[in-house]
């Protein structure tokens, strides 16, 4: 079953076309758009899962339980900093940014949407504004790679909804009046909202904060009346939401993870340890892991993890009937079969580990009946501390165990043939197996398909059609196979074989339809008087002019296609979000097609439409107000320019409302970006994004400074290219500087920026970029803002970002890429910001602390702001407002008010920088093993059960 997991999430490199997500979901609206958001979802379509309140992105992607934001990224005056701000800067109080920024961030958030299974009702999930710091300050336990709120036995730092409104979708495409879900406690915070399979009920968890206690309970609401009530009649039953917390088994019952009634008080930490803490490798195992955070430290932590993570599974009916099933255990997922007869139950158990998170703990997968009767054990995987760090490496044994979405109760899974080590050359590399839930005696699993690349999921349709995806990160190769799972005499064939980096050749992903059991399968389309097998391919439509999304009617057998819908490319950016005619049984006919689409422009925020065939009439169903009307007339342009080595680069240039460069002259400029790795110059130069997309502004977005009359160069491409056998990072500094130089030259040429008033900034890997640019290209920027970055790569010795060599294999690259090693060269003002509780595997808070000390030790003009309770992305209103204040103060003082002699500085720096880049390149080549005595061992990044976060 397609299932969003908080704790266990494979981060696949985007190297195969992902099928369209089922229309479950909440549509993400433009209120909180991060500069760099990476979402992850299962490629295996299946039963609906709870919606978890999460930070949202622009539209179109569906709200998932694991969408975590990696934030990067009317006119006010650009007046100089006054003395009161200088005084405030020395204090330790939280500050507020100027009103023109504060008002945008404090604007009421727009709701998220979720459609009923029958597509006749829409939920408006009302979100609260930024949470207070007190929310983050709640006590939490850091265990096994997780952060746990012990008071209500859930993950800490959760986002919540504050209300649910239900609208009827009328036949004419308009919305009926809102009906509020009511009856739950005042101040209750809503999470994990999900529809029953028949759409008649909603289930959701509610957290109620009392004076000395917090509780998390499961509630249900009748969709027709809007009346909500607790599902459990007993007040002593609480949810355990550390992993999965509940799932609909059928229309009238749910399987729920509860806190065992017999559980007592938490274990107490011993005052005197029973012995020393010992780590041993006397067996000489090779264990190379990233710098995971929040791991178990000792036996007490193991006991505490068991205490919070152990659940009792309970089958509960809407009438209140309760039945405990199975023994208490650390259950991590519960997947009912499509025919509602079986449960696929996953759990983890001891021995635990002190070096890897819980996603690598020993894992047991069992098959039960839905009334709790044990059927059989599918696997019991051992502790996986030794997964190689090479990209595409995986865990040994059965993985990705799921139900076929098109069958009542048939399982399928993949097994590696290379022991999970991507460095091993073997054919096949993965084998996909399938087997009934209860096979006949002696019946062995059947081989469904063999793959030479790494398995990446299946989109099911029926016995005649399924699509299998495989990919290989090192070569960026991705392939899509067509198989006929019910016909052994039909040979598999390759449908698409392409480079995942080549966005221009992306054919799109198949659109999915909902089955009566609540799973999702590929939608087959019938065309009048035509016996062909057609599917719908929904594509982003990348072109040299920007993305022009499309919908193709694709003949799966002939490979021919007909474009039946395409976005307006002149003014608007439109996308197909989901099928709306999929709730009816039987074939989907082209002339009866009904789609949910979105539409936006540079200045008009996203609205949603129902579009019906054959006349393709579009009916608007939302009318959301502009989230920041003071910037409604901002100017946006996608610009193109060349790097000195001929690589085509792009960026989005934003200018304030009413600005005219010919009359107003150049502006101070903020350059905000995030580097990316490529295998070819052609792919690096391809245009991504659309000039017509609405400018979503998140709470820490660089675009907020449009309100302060800045020009914003957003997302200028910084491609780091390693063609053939060359490693991209061996020329990182050279390519980084060349990309930045080209971008700066372009904004100066256009007359929108002053040469000496261009600031550079970024978050995470963008902060790493910022520090390197101030070290190696001081002639380009007047100051920098670096948020939550890593600056010393020797502190992440087993790979970082997309570097899969270890420190000992590429010592020169690690050293040359580290701005910490060039701290003595940074002469421009740099503002460092970091969350005190950063749990990202590559960006420990000490990275900023030690970098600041190195800068201060060389007399650099620098400032370090550490945010209490904040993690890798910032959440609390007090923290975010203060970061904006710090950033605005820095820009006003060291960019707007900068009076340095730019021309003299350029002349003095440019020759030194050119020489430095050349020297750096030579040093990297000499020490990375190429041409030297040491042979580089080119591994690839590991497929972590706990994903490697973006650094």
């Amino acid at each position: 079953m397609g299932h969003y997991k908080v704790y266990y999430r494979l981060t696949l490199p985007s190297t195969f076309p992902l099928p369209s997500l089922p229309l479950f979901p909440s549509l993400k609206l433009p209120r909180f758009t991060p500069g760099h958001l990476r979402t992850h979802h299962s490629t295996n379509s299946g039963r609906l899962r709870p919606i978890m309140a999460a930070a949202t992105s622009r539209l179109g992607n569906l709200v998932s339980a694991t969408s975590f934001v990696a934030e990067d990224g009317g006119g006010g005056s650009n007046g100089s900093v006054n003395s009161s701000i200088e005084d405030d800067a020395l204090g330790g109080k939280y500050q507020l940014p100027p009103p023109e920024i504060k008002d945008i961030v404090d604007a009421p958030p727009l709701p998220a949407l979720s459609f009923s299974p029958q597509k006749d009702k829409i939920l408006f999930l009302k979100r609260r504004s930024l949470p207070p710091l007190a929310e983050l300050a709640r006590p939490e336990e850091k265990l096994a790679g997780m952060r746990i709120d012990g008071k209500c036995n859930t993950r800490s730092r959760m986002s919540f909804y504050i209300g649910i409104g239900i609208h009827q979708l009328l036949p004419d495409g308009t919305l009926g009046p809102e009906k509020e879900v009511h009856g739950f406690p005042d101040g209750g915070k809503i999470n994990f909202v999900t529809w029953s399979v028949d759409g008649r009920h909603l289930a959701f968890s509610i957290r109620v904060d009392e004076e000395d206690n917090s509780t998390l309970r499961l509630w249900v609401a009748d969709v027709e009346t809007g009346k909500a009530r607790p599902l459990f009649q007993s007040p002593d039953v609480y949810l355990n939401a550390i992993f999965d917390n509940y799932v609909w088994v059928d229309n009238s019952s749910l399987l729920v993870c509860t806190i065992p009634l017999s559980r007592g008080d938490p274990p107490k930490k011993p005052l005197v340890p029973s012995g020393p803490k010992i780590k041993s490798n006397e067996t000489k195992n090779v264990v190379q892991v990233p710098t995971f955070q929040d791991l178990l430290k000792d036996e007490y932590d193991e006991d505490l993890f068991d205490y919070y993570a152990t659940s009792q599974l309970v089958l509960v009916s809407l009438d209140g009937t309760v039945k405990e099933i199975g023994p208490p255990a650390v259950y991590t997922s519960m997947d009912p079969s499509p025919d509602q007869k079986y449960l696929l139950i996953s759990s983890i158990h001891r021995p635990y580990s002190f070096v890897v998170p819980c996603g690598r703990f020993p894992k047991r997968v069992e098959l039960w009946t839905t009334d709790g009767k044990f059927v059989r054990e599918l696997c019991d995987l051992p502790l996986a501390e030794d997964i190689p760090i090479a990209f595409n490496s995986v865990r040994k044994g059965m993985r990705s165990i799921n139900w076929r979405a098109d069958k009542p109760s048939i399982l399928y899974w993949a097994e590696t043939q290379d022991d999970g080590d991507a460095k091993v050359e073997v054919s096949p590399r993965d084998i996909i197996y399938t087997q009934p839930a209860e096979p006949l005696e002696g019946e062995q699993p059947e081989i469904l398909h063999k793959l030479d690349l790494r398995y990446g999921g299946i989109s099911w349709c029926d016995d005649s059609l399924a699509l299998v995806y495989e990919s290989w990160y090192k070569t960026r190769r991705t392939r899509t196979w067509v198989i006929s799972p019910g016909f052994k005499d039909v040979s598999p064939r390759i449908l698409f074989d392409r480079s995942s980096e080549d966005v221009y050749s992306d054919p799109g992903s198949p659109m999915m339809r909902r089955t009566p059991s609540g799973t999702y399968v590929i939608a087959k389309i019938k065309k009048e008087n035509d016996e062909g097998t057609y599917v719908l391919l929904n594509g982003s439509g990348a072109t040299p002019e920007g993305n022009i999304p499309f919908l193709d009617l694709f003949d799966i057998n002939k490979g021919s296609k007909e474009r039946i819908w395409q976005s307006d490319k002149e003014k608007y950016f439109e996308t197909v979000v989901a099928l709306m005619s999929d709730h009816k049984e039987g074939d989907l006919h082209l002339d009866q097609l009904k789609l949910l689409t979105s539409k936006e422009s540079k200045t008009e925020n996203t609205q949603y439409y129902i579009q019906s065939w054959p006349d393709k009439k579009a009916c608007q169903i939302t009318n959301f107000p502009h989230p920041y009307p003071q910037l409604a007339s901002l100017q946006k342009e996608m610009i193109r320019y060349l790097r000195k080595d001929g690589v085509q680069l792009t960026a989005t240039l934003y200018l304030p409302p009413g600005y005219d460069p010919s009359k107003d002259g150049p502006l101070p400029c903020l350059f905000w970006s995030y580097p990316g790795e490529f295998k070819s110059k052609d792919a690096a130069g391809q245009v991504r994004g659309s000039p017509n997309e609405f400018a979503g502004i998140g709470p820490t977005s660089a675009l907020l400074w449009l309100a302060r009359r800045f020009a914003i160069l957003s997302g200028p491409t910084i491609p780091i290219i390693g063609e053939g056998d060359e490693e991209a990072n061996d020329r990182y500094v050279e390519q980084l500087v060349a990309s930045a130089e080209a971008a700066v030259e372009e904004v100066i040429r256009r007359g929108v920026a002053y040469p000496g008033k261009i600031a550079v900034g970024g978050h995470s890997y963008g902060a790493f970029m910022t520090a390197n640019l101030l070290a190696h290209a001081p002639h380009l920027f007047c100051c920098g803002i670096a948020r939550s970055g890593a600056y010393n790569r020797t502190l992440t010795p087993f790979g970082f970002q997309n570097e899969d060599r270890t420190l000992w294999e590429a010592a020169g690259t690690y050293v040359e890429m580290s701005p910490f090693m060039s701290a003595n060269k940074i002469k421009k003002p740099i503002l460092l910001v970091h969350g005190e509780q950063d749990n990202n595997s590559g960006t420990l808070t000490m990275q900023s602390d030690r970098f600041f000390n190195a800068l201060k030790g060389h007399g650099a003009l620098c400032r370090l702001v550490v945010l209490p309770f904040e993690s890798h992305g910032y959440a609390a209103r007090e923290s975010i407002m203060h970061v904006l204040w710090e950033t605005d103060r820095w820009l006003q003082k060291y960019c707007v008010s900068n009076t340095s002699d730019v021309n003299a500085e350029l002349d003095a720096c440019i020759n030194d920088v050119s020489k430095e880049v050349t020297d750096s390149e030579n040093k990297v080549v000499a020490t990375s093993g190429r041409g030297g005595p040491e042979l580089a061992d080119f591994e690839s990044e590991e497929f972590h059960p706990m994903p490697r976060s973006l650094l």
Side-chain angles (χ1 to χ4, degrees), residues 288-315:
Q288 300 180 349
V289 295
T291 49
F292 292 123
Q293 301 300 297
D294 301 338
L295 300 177
L296 300 178
K297 299 180 290 298
D298 50 32
E299 292 181 5
Y300 167 72
D301 274 1
E302 291 181 304
D303 293 341
L304 204 58
F305 175 74
D306 277 336
Y307 176 84
Y308 287 115
T310 297
S311 295
Q312 172 64 61
L313 297 185
V314 171
L315 193 64

Side-chain angles (χ1 to χ4, degrees), residues 457-584:
I458 300 179
S459 294
W460 297 96
C461 182
D462 53 30
D463 276 337
S464 66
L465 174 63
L467 300 182
V468 181
Y469 308 102
E470 64 174 338
S471 64
W472 199 246
Y473 178 76
K474 203 72 174 177
T475 59
R476 308 300 200 272
R477 189 178 185 186
T478 175
R479 293 196 295 200
T480 303
W481 291 83
V482 177
I483 65 171
S484 299
F487 300 90
K488 295 182 180 179
D489 57 335
V490 178
S491 299
R493 59 186 175 87
I494 293 178
L495 184 64
F496 304 120
D497 188 349
R498 48 181 291 272
S499 167
S500 61
E501 289 187 336
D502 182 10
V503 294
Y504 292 169
S505 70
D506 187 349
S509 302
M511 296 206 72
M512 313 297 286
R513 68 170 297 175
R514 187 179 183 276
T515 69
S517 62
T519 63
Y520 279 81
V521 298
I522 298 173
K524 277 188 176 179
I525 305 298
K526 288 290 184 181
K527 193 176 179 182
E528 188 176 2
N529 301 322
D530 192 326
E531 297 301 318
T533 301
Y534 293 94
V535 300
L536 297 171
L537 293 182
N538 185 10
S540 59
T543 74
E545 288 72 45
N547 288 358
I548 307 173
F550 64 84
L551 190 66
D552 282 348
L553 187 66
F554 184 77
D555 190 318
I556 204 77
N557 296 318
K558 297 179 181 178
S560 58
K561 60 186 177 182
E562 174 189 353
R563 188 141 297 178
I564 63 171
W565 178 90
Q566 185 169 321
S567 171
D568 180 330
K569 60 183 178 182
E570 299 303 322
K571 179 181 178 182
Y572 292 101
F573 177 76
E574 302 169 287
T575 63
V576 173
V577 181
L579 281 171
M580 294 294 286
S581 51
D582 67 331
H583 59 283
K584 298 178 182 178

Side-chain angles (χ1 to χ4, degrees), residues 337-480:
S337 60
D339 63 3
Q340 304 169 359
K341 292 183 178 179
Y342 299 96
L343 298 171
L344 190 62
I345 302 293
S346 298
S347 61
I348 57 179
H349 60 83
R350 298 196 184 210
Y352 297 149
S353 170
F354 299 155
V355 298
V356 295
C358 59
R360 296 195 186 185
F361 288 178
K363 177 183 178 182
R364 183 180 293 118
V365 183
E366 297 176 337
L367 194 64
W368 301 355
T369 61
T370 47
D371 60 0
K373 179 183 176 182
F374 176 82
V375 177
R376 64 187 175 112
E377 181 181 278
L378 297 177
C379 65
D380 191 352
L381 304 177
L383 178 65
E385 288 184 337
D386 59 349
I387 299 176
I389 66 169
F391 284 97
N392 289 119
S393 291
V394 295
R395 192 172 191 161
K396 300 174 187 176
M398 298 173 68
R399 71 182 198 279
S400 302
I401 306 172
N402 286 285
W403 297 107
R404 271 186 63 167
D406 62 325
K407 293 292 182 180
S409 52
I410 292 183
L411 294 161
Y412 70 99
W413 66 90
E415 292 188 33
T416 179
Q417 306 301 298
D418 56 12
D419 286 332
D421 190 346
K423 293 183 296 181
V424 174
E425 295 296 332
V426 64
S427 178
R429 188 172 293 278
D430 272 340
I431 296 179
I432 307 167
Y433 294 93
T434 184
Q435 191 178 48
E438 294 194 70
L440 299 175
E441 185 175 352
E443 183 181 1
Q444 297 299 310
E446 178 183 338
I447 294 177
L448 181 67
H449 192 49
K450 297 181 179 180
L451 299 169
D452 284 339
L453 308 181
R454 187 62 80 205
Y455 168 70
I458 300 179
S459 294
W460 297 96
C461 182
D462 53 30
D463 276 337
S464 66
L465 174 63
L467 300 182
V468 181
Y469 308 102
E470 64 174 338
S471 64
W472 199 246
Y473 178 76
K474 203 72 174 177
T475 59
R476 308 300 200 272
R477 189 178 185 186
T478 175
R479 293 196 295 200
T480 303

Side-chain angles (χ1 to χ4, degrees), residues 97 203-204 244 252 277 337 372 415 431 438 773 867 889 911 938:
F204 48 92
D244 258 6
S252 61
K277 296 179 180 179
S337 60
E415 292 188 33
I431 296 179
E438 294 194 70
L773 285 172
L867 304 170
R889 171 185 174 270
N911 290 331
F938 297 120

